[in-house]
Amino acid sequence: MINEAAVWAIVGLPLLGGLIIIAGLRPWTQSLWRLSGYVGIGAMAGAFALSLWALNSVRGHHGESVGFDPHSWVTVGGDAAEGAFELTIGVLLDPLSAIMAVVVTGVSMLVQVYSLGYMRKEADEHSGKFVDYPRYFAYMSFFTAAMLGLVLAYNLVQTFVFWELVGLFSYLLIGFWFHRPAAAAAAKKAFIVTRIGDFGFMLALMWLFSHRDEFLVRGQNPFEIPDINSAAPLLSAGLVTWAALGLFAGAVGKSAQFPLNTWLPDAMEGPTPVSSLIHAATMVAAGVFLVARVFPLFEASSSVMNVVALTGGVTAVLAATMALATTDIKRVLAFSTVSQLGYMFIALGVGAPGVALFHLFNHAFFKCLLFLSAGSVHHSVQTFDMRYMGGLRAWMPVTYGLTIISGLSLAGVFPFAGFWSKDEILAAAWAVDPSAPGTSAVAQIVFWLALIAAGMTAFYVFRLIIMTFHGEFRGGIDAVPMDERIPDEAHNHVHKGESPTSMVAPMLVLGVMAVISGAAFNSVTKLGPVPAHWFSHLFNEDSPELVAWIAVASMTVALGGIVLAIAIYGLKLVDLSRMPKQWHALNRVLEQRYYMDYFYETLVVRRALFRGVFLASDWLDRKVVDGTVDFVGWTGRNAGKWVAQLQTGQVQAYGVGVSVGVILLLWAYLVRS
Amino acid sequence: MLLSTIVFLPIVAAVLVLALGRTQQMARLIALIAVVGELALTLMAFAAYDTDAGGYQFVERFDWISAFDIQYLLAVDGLSVPMVLLNGILGLAAVLVSWNVKERPNQYYMWLLVLQAAVMGVFVSMDLILFFVFWELELVPMFFLISLWGTGRREYSAMKFLIYTFLGSAFMLTAMLTLYFSLPDGERTFDIMALMGRDMSGLLVPTGLVFAGFLIAFAVKLPMFPLHTWLPDAHTDAPTAVSVMLAGVLLKMGGYGLLRINAGLFPEQMTDFASTLAVIAVVSVLYGAFIVMRQTDLKRMVAYSSVSHMGFVTLGIASVAGGGSALSSVGLNGAAMQLFTHGTITGLLFVVVGLIYERAHTRHIPDLGGLAKQMPLIAVGFMIAGLASLGLPTTSGFVAELLIFLGTFQVFGLATALAAFGVVLAAGYILWTAQRTLFGPRVARWDGLTDARPVDVAAMLVLIIPIFVVGLYPKVLTDVFAVGIDPIMAGFGLAGFGG
Amino acid sequence: MLERLLILSAILFCIGLYGALSRRHVIAVLISVEIMFNAVNIALVAFSRYVQPAAFRATGEVTAVAESTVLAGQSFAVFVIVVAAAEVALGLALVIAMLRTKDSVDVTEASLMRR
Amino acid sequence: MENAFTEVAFWTLSIVTVGGALGVVRTHNMFRAALLLVVSFVGVAGIFALVNAEFLAVVQLLVYAGGVAVLVIFAAMITTNVTEGNRSTGTQPFAVLVSLVLLSALVSAIVQAEWALLPDDMPAPLAAAFVDTPAALGRMLLNEFVLPFEIAGVVLLAAVIGALSLVRER
Amino acid sequence: MNIGARDLFLISPELLLVTLAVVVVALDLVIRRKGIVIAVAVVGLLVPAIAGVNVWNDIHATGVDTAFNGALVVDEFALYFKFLTLAVLALLFLSSADYASRFQPFQAEFYGLLLFSSAGLMLLPAAGDLITVYISLELASLPVIALAAYEKMRLKSTEAGLKYLVLSAVSSAVLLYGFAFLYGATGTLRLISFDPADPAIGHMLINGDPSVPFGGVAVMVGVVLATAGFGFKLSMVPFQMWTPDVYEGAPTPVAAYLAVASKAAAFAVVLRLFYAGLDPAAADWSLMFAVLAAITMTVGNVVAIAQTNVKRLLGYSAIAQAGYMLVGVAAYVGSGPDAELGIESVLFYLGGYAAMNLTAFFVIMAITNRTGDDSIEGLAGLGKRAPILAVLLALALLGLTGIPPTVGFVGKLFLFNAAINADMVWLAVVGVLNSVVSAYYYVGVVRVMYLRESDNPARITVPPYAWAALAVTAAAILVLGLWPGGLLEVARQAALDLL
């Protein structure tokens, strides 16, 4: 049985690693910086081991947590035992957090190993200044630590704390190459857009707190997750609905769901391992995790559940369509992530958090692998633009093979990992009885949305594979016109060869997982130590039955997408340039991501806010508010001059003044008498 | 004698600096010793303050002008002892950040020390008139510091600051005297401790007017919309250290006054006025944030962000509306926390901006860019300050804002929600500024610029440490503040939180 | 009779005032002020003659105090005359000083200082 | 004293006084103004005599109509442009206005006021004071008002010193 | 003649002062070295001062005494002003020795005239009847006419003399007419009387018609005219218009004398007349003074902002300060626990005002004596050319603004205290707001001294005796500001004597 200190150490080890790197290694440039990568990986390996131990400890639990009591963090007004305000921190170890911890530490560790090779160039850039290499590993460690803190948080406020820290370190990682304007802008965008979601999170916290009486009467704390979960079915509807909606807003922001999905494609400006980590198990998964974390709260309100499911469904399709027309390999993957996260929300929305987590679990591996493959490709061709790739399988066989595997997994092709979880999601959605009380047609709608998205997923992932690895090589970075390159890439050249072992090795590990994670860990039957439908089992929920026709249908759709992709991009059966005008228009809409960025950035931020509200406020402040102050000052300064006009210098005028004074005084008294 | 020592040590040092500080080195050395000693003393006071015993401690009471029962009465309670510490911290930062002042250094440090002493006096005075004396005394060094060592339209700004504050305090003085003479003969006193909890009805004028007199003074100082326009000007044209002190402690005097006097002495009026206060707070928060977005001068930007952030203080205080509930205690504590945290955070922001300005000789944001390459340490300082300013958890800013929101939401749901949106806006302007100043391609024009020297790093660290200490372990402050807030809560008929 | 005298005094006072406020020549201004002093004297003398001394009024009988203060107004007038004379002397000295420095006795020209 | 005589004397003296004063303040000729001042002052002396202030009347004649007036005439003579140097200034309209308003205010006040008049049949001791006013005044100045009397001496001394230091050449 | 030894004892200070005046003027005839004459004048002031101390000892022990058949009332109130006058005179002599050397060969007469005038000022507060008031007033003001015009070669000086002559003559006439009406209405000239058989003016008001102000139209006219007459001396609006012109034109020591000593005595006699003589009708005059106070301070302050000449500025400042002091006059509360507050505060403020104004005038005197430039711009660069003078002037001006820890702050505090004690909160508000307005121009001068560069680098030297005078006045500003208790107690005793 794991003890509490060890659980804390899951968060603490990466944190410590980061601190050692930033404070111990980074300042001493010459000899020690090389160690930073190993320190980061070592710390993560320790955390991974501890996570496995933790997972092992909760294996027998079904939805219950290991009872570590929380500790006092902030108190206001005396003794908490007498009802004073208190914020606690603690670790909440249950199957959900244990699985997440394992995934996070594992993926992070692999990504860091990969980074040893990938980020090598950061080490010898800038003429002997090796500042960026250790900075990178420090950020990675901190980022993972923040994510782990979020995962293990006992208290919603604590969740929020780490939630924000995840945002911070994603900001720093996305903007790692801060000298690139696009990276700096993307980092800022990621932070601000997610913060809009966090605003909802914060409101939810306030809302919960303002209804603390409902908890207090039960002797519970409105912020502590176990209390919330156990009290959720008994709480008043208004409390539950708004609190869940607020939390969901936070999840939407972090998980880049519609309508806060715009930050994620831009976030590809970060180093590729970062994208991989962010997209696989950490930041974007946080939203899904949060909803799963307080799932009883969501479950208590059917309308919120519908919102969740619909958001997921819409996002799954929307993002998939965006991916269809994108030529940047990482952005295709980014849209894919958004789309897959939509699946997870569908699962949550139809009441199957275990399934959602299962998909998250699988997705972590194959999506991570896809990104690492993209990084590997970039390592060779130095660009992410698929228009300049092609034929790479010639000198990157391993990368090619792994991409195929992960692509199939993503497409949900039997028996790869993705198939199992996607199928369970579809099944779970189908399983909702639309005629039962408290449900609606939403589950049906999202089922069909998910199915459509599945087809598109298969199509775009194979479009990606074909454009990258098949056909003629189109020149890589050397073919990119200079004015399209970012300055950093100005002098890079194509390097034809497989990536180094440090990169390939972690990809291989992930490749294995991308194949087996679905079948091995959530098998339809009991599989050695793993029970059948292990995830659902852990969550103590009904496991959806595998419905044969759904499995067949989804397979058909997926294969259809693959075939279509091969037909169009591989066999060139359709000449895209000779498509009708409407097709090009549609293409542009997709390329512009339905003009969402235009709407947000140009119309809302630049026009309505910056040139509207902000300008008006500034004008108001300078001209009206300060203007009034200055006017009063001006009057004061000049009133003297006006009054001084009476001071003519003529002594007799002064005498008149005296007389007038006498008369006025007399008059005043005569009036009074 | 601890408090007297704390108040008068800088004054003695000021005299010494003026007399002995013939050279820059000598002057700054004396000043440094003084502020380090001052920080040590304030830390000692903070540590020695017994939170279990609570109440007013280190009381020093002497008759000053016995004809009007005006006393030299110093004491600290849980509310003021952190403010004293804050002043000690910022005093050190201010001296460190003005390490390079070459023009008449002895006079400069003299005024800086006098300023610190005056602010210290405000925080430890428990006699209204003594409070007022220190309140006014602070104007003189500020005026000279801004107008002699400032930049830009410094004379205008110094005068605006002076007149504006003076105007506000004019109302405060009248209110104090009215209060005094309203009490029956024999019970007349300026002793804040004795006035706490007294029935404030039946004054010479409607009690609301007395309340308003204090409120105006504190609203100007805080500053509260629409009385804030002196702040951007004063900040912009003040030398760095003065901006640090201004943002760090002078504004806090307003919030401190609101808590100590408006909320402490006039709970009934505060109860009635809180709704208006909440509206003002929301306007301050959002309007301030809107304006920040349009600023192109780094200091003006930080100044308006102060307006926005001090709106949170107002909001927290407004949580006592309608007599408050037990949760108002959280709001008031949050307001007090915000005073402290904003002091360190905005102080740090001004330190960083000052360092940039000292090197680049411009604060015009469009001229800057890519500075993280040339001055990474300063960039780190900027980011820490900025992130703390936008309320990132683990920094002190988060705790304060969280407490304010939690405390106020149950009274003013909409207002608090709107104000909380200010946090999103804060992320917007802070990160946008960081992007335009620190990030982006390196600008060749700034290639010659050096990074922070050890003394600059020290100045930043002095402020960074409390930001993180409080952010990670807020109890260090909340436990103290709570002791100070409880008596105020009692004035609202609420026995702390548990009731 | 008292009222008549007072009205006469008031008329004289106002004539003096008018003169003091409207004449250009310094000496004319000075003698206008003298007219005002004379008006005051008329009032004082008239009060002295016709008004009950306070002591008499307060007690209703002729006390020694009442007796000794019945001529207070006249005494006052003596002092007024003395002071007025001194004032005239000083004023004329000033006129001479003015003549020396600026060769003018026009009060309207004495307006270097204004506003 | 006969009532009729008093009436006639009062009116005559009043007209002389007021007329003289008006002349003083209206003429442009400084010399003429000084002479008219004498006329007015003589009228005032007469009024003094009329109300049992014989001593004052004499002082008035000596000091004012004599000393002061002569002084003024001399001073006026040495100034330039004696005949036309005394025109009105720009403040004249205001002077007219304030004088008239003040006069009306004063007159209305005088008429409204209730004066505690001495009875016509004054108690004998009081009446006695008005019989020999110079002696009574003399006594007062040396008893009741000895302090002002002494101060008046200092005033004159100071005035003389002041006047001298103003007039004497360097 | 009816003069006893007691009479002579009680009047000994004035008597000795007049003697000193005569001696000084006479010595001048026989002694060549003017320095000796000055020394005699300064040291000779000790003689009346010692006499004054004797009288004070006597009065303090036995209580109020009268002399000269009630013409002279010697109480602590009167003695307060006597000492104030003597102190002002001594400081003035010390500081103006340099300045007065330009009056050769009439230097001794200059001192003599000042001494004569001071004798008048010392008599004024002690005057027991209207004749003595009037004659003392003339003794005080006639020499000033000569003094104002003393710089015969300066056109402005002559003009100042002329303006003072004409307006003081007109005011005297108005005052006298007022006295005549008071006499006519009450039948007495007695201002103070302790003998019921010899009633004073105040006693005769009691039986008046309550529906008419002051119990009768005649008294009312008398009071109004007398107020106007005194208003001239007080520089009370609208009788103030001579003030700036005369201050600007007159020799600086004379302007200082007018601003401080003459005004103090005028306040003394006003307090005496209204508090001791007309107190039964206080309801009628206190509002009048309140309104006049408000108008006076406002006009003085507002017009002062537009000034460019520093002496003229001080003239308007003197008007404004008179307005503040009128607040104390207006603050009549009849009988009550703090009935003496109004008088007390005026007395205290006069003391502080003397210290502040004299400091200002002394510095201006020292500067204009060297530079001959009395414009405000002429003070440019003073912070460097004469750092100590600049500091002292700044101190005086900040004091006049009312910024702690100067006596100006404490003084205003007491004045506004008095106003609020008399239920005139509005007047206190007007007062404090006026302080704010005044800050603009007072600080404006400070700003010129420190912020404007001067093309004239010549350092300004000051003779040692002038330093002595400055040291005394400047020390008084601070000492009385920090420890006002002593003077306040003296003022309270004096005020109680008046009541």
Side-chain angles (χ1 to χ4, degrees), chain B residues 73-362:
Chain B
L73 174 55
L74 306 185
V76 286
D77 67 354
L79 183 58
S80 48
V81 79
M83 308 312 290
V84 169
L85 176 63
L86 176 70
N87 194 16
I89 294 171
L90 282 156
L92 176 56
V95 167
L96 287 174
V97 83
S98 40
W99 205 240
N100 270 16
V101 168
K102 292 190 182 66
E103 196 187 337
R104 285 178 275 186
N106 56 340
Q107 291 179 32
Y108 176 85
Y109 289 113
M110 175 196 79
W111 286 126
L112 208 53
L113 289 164
V114 171
L115 178 64
Q116 195 190 11
V119 177
M120 212 56 108
V122 168
F123 289 136
V124 299
S125 297
M126 284 292 158
D127 181 281
L128 283 175
I129 295 296
L130 192 65
F131 175 88
F132 184 81
V133 165
F134 284 117
W135 182 277
E136 293 278 87
L137 190 61
E138 147 269 328
L139 292 178
V140 181
M142 280 301 285
F143 176 78
F144 280 107
L145 283 168
I146 296 177
S147 55
L148 282 177
W149 287 273
T151 54
R153 288 199 304 168
R154 56 191 185 181
E155 290 186 29
Y156 167 82
S157 300
M159 195 54 107
K160 195 170 179 177
F161 167 79
L162 183 87
I163 299 289
Y164 227 126
T165 314
F166 206 43
L167 184 71
S169 49
F171 291 102
M172 172 160 66
L173 181 64
T174 328
M176 284 176 181
L177 301 186
T178 311
L179 179 57
Y180 175 82
F181 282 102
S182 297
L183 302 175
D185 194 42
E187 293 175 36
R188 291 180 176 178
T189 179
F190 285 113
D191 181 345
I192 297 175
M193 305 190 277
L195 287 169
M196 281 274 288
R198 177 185 276 279
D199 176 24
M200 287 297 175
S201 55
L203 302 188
L204 284 177
V205 297
T207 315
L209 288 181
V210 176
F211 176 82
F214 285 109
L215 182 75
I216 290 171
F218 300 140
V220 166
K221 203 83 195 176
L222 195 59
M224 226 182 257
F225 174 87
L227 304 174
H228 63 275
T229 55
W230 61 269
L231 184 74
D233 287 324
H235 265 320
T236 311
D237 299 333
T240 302
V242 174
S243 293
V244 171
M245 288 299 274
L246 178 58
V249 283
L250 292 190
L251 307 188
K252 308 305 164 293
M253 288 159 49
Y256 172 77
L258 276 179
L259 281 170
R260 164 81 70 217
I261 293 175
N262 282 90
L265 302 189
F266 304 95
E268 203 177 309
Q269 283 68 33
M270 196 54 158
T271 303
D272 298 341
F273 192 71
S275 320
T276 318
L277 213 54
V279 173
I280 294 173
V282 171
V283 173
S284 291
V285 168
L286 294 182
Y287 176 83
F290 290 164
I291 296 170
V292 183
M293 301 280 190
R294 293 291 309 191
Q295 301 310 311
T296 53
D297 183 302
L298 275 176
K299 274 190 160 182
R300 267 191 109 71
M301 187 221 117
V302 183
Y304 274 111
S305 85
S306 285
V307 175
S308 181
H309 280 106
M310 295 315 275
F312 290 132
V313 174
T314 319
L315 186 69
I317 294 170
S319 69
V320 299
S325 72
L327 295 184
S328 306
S329 162
V330 179
L332 289 182
N333 269 284
M337 285 287 282
Q338 176 76 353
L339 291 179
F340 187 94
T341 60
H342 180 263
T344 48
I345 294 167
T346 309
L348 181 58
L349 270 177
F350 274 115
V351 166
V352 176
V353 169
L355 293 177
I356 293 175
Y357 180 65
E358 194 185 350
R359 286 159 175 76
H361 301 290
T362 180

Side-chain angles (χ1 to χ4, degrees), chain B residues 461-499:
Chain B
L461 273 181
V462 165
L463 297 169
I464 288 173
I465 291 168
I467 290 177
F468 280 116
V469 168
V470 176
L472 292 171
Y473 191 64
K475 269 172 174 265
V476 74
L477 274 188
T478 49
D479 282 358
V480 181
F481 273 133
V483 172
I485 296 290
D486 274 352
I488 296 174
M489 287 300 291
F492 291 91
L494 301 161
F497 192 83

Side-chain angles (χ1 to χ4, degrees), chain A residues 242-259:
Chain A
W242 290 106
L245 269 183
L247 292 175
F248 182 62
V252 163
K254 270 285 188 281
S255 293
Q257 295 298 290
F258 178 84

Side-chain angles (χ1 to χ4, degrees), chain A residues 73 178 195 610 621 626 630, chain B residues 156 160 228 287 304 423 472:
Chain A
W73 182 49
F178 56 79
R195 205 151 222 245
F610 192 71
D621 202 56
D626 200 29
D630 282 343
Chain B
Y156 167 82
K160 195 170 179 177
H228 63 275
Y287 176 83
Y304 274 111
V423 177
L472 292 171

Side-chain angles (χ1 to χ4, degrees), chain A residues 54-398:
Chain A
L55 181 60
N56 188 47
S57 304
V58 296
R59 210 157 42 88
H61 294 253
H62 300 283
E64 295 121 41
S65 61
V66 179
F68 298 131
D69 285 333
H71 310 276
S72 178
W73 182 49
V74 187
T75 52
V76 170
D79 195 351
E82 290 162 16
F85 171 79
E86 184 179 35
L87 290 180
T88 53
I89 49 174
V91 287
L92 176 62
L93 186 64
D94 64 357
L96 176 62
S97 55
I99 292 172
M100 279 301 286
V102 169
V103 173
V104 169
T105 48
V107 169
S108 175
M109 184 175 67
L110 293 174
V111 168
Q112 288 197 49
V113 172
Y114 177 88
S115 303
L116 282 180
Y118 188 84
M119 296 306 283
R120 189 78 186 170
K121 61 179 188 245
E122 300 304 321
D124 39 39
E125 244 184 10
H126 309 306
S127 60
K129 281 194 168 183
F130 307 104
V131 288
D132 279 0
Y133 188 73
R135 183 163 67 92
Y136 171 82
F137 282 102
Y139 285 173
M140 284 298 255
S141 296
F142 287 138
F143 178 68
T144 317
M147 187 66 203
L148 289 166
L150 161 65
V151 165
L152 291 166
Y154 192 87
N155 185 310
L156 266 188
V157 174
Q158 191 188 352
T159 311
F160 184 74
V161 167
F162 288 104
W163 182 269
E164 289 285 289
L165 288 179
V166 167
L168 165 69
F169 288 105
S170 71
Y171 167 79
L172 293 173
L173 283 169
I174 294 168
F176 182 73
W177 289 310
F178 56 79
H179 56 275
R180 297 184 185 166
K188 179 195 70 182
K189 187 174 175 183
F191 196 99
I192 292 172
V193 173
T194 53
R195 205 151 222 245
I196 292 171
D198 300 351
F199 173 60
F201 197 148
M202 219 184 309
L203 289 180
L205 292 181
M206 295 177 209
W207 187 252
L208 280 170
F209 184 71
S210 66
H211 290 79
R212 65 198 286 276
D213 288 346
E214 291 195 31
F215 291 92
L216 288 180
V217 294
R218 300 186 177 89
Q220 288 173 320
N221 185 316
F223 286 146
E224 285 176 4
I225 292 165
D227 287 358
I228 294 172
N229 285 347
S230 64
L234 311 168
L235 297 175
S236 64
L239 167 57
V240 165
T241 307
W242 290 106
L245 269 183
L247 292 175
F248 182 62
V252 163
K254 270 285 188 281
S255 293
Q257 295 298 290
F258 178 84
L260 298 180
N261 54 340
T262 59
W263 67 269
L264 194 62
D266 290 27
M268 295 303 108
E269 292 295 336
T272 307
V274 169
S275 310
S276 139
L277 186 58
I278 285 179
H279 286 237
T282 49
M283 183 168 171
V284 293
V288 178
F289 172 78
L290 177 70
V291 177
R293 181 78 284 181
V294 289
F295 193 72
L297 195 66
F298 282 81
E299 218 173 10
S301 167
S302 59
S303 49
V304 178
M305 290 293 274
N306 287 337
V307 170
V308 173
L310 268 181
T311 308
V314 168
T315 311
V317 174
L318 204 66
T321 56
M322 290 177 187
L324 296 176
T326 308
T327 55
D328 184 303
I329 185 168
K330 278 176 75 180
R331 287 186 184 231
V332 173
L333 296 176
F335 290 127
S336 161
T337 305
V338 176
S339 173
Q340 294 301 307
L341 288 163
Y343 274 103
M344 298 175 210
F345 279 106
I346 290 173
L348 292 166
V350 299
V355 174
L357 196 70
F358 179 40
H359 192 57
L360 191 155
F361 182 77
N362 290 335
H363 178 254
F365 300 115
F366 61 72
K367 184 53 62 61
C368 184
L369 179 55
L370 276 170
F371 270 108
L372 295 188
S373 301
S376 178
V377 165
H378 177 260
H379 193 258
S380 166
V381 299
Q382 298 293 330
T383 180
F384 290 116
D385 196 331
M386 297 191 293
R387 286 171 300 175
Y388 303 106
M389 297 181 187
L392 262 62
R393 62 183 166 163
W395 64 84
M396 303 190 84
V398 183

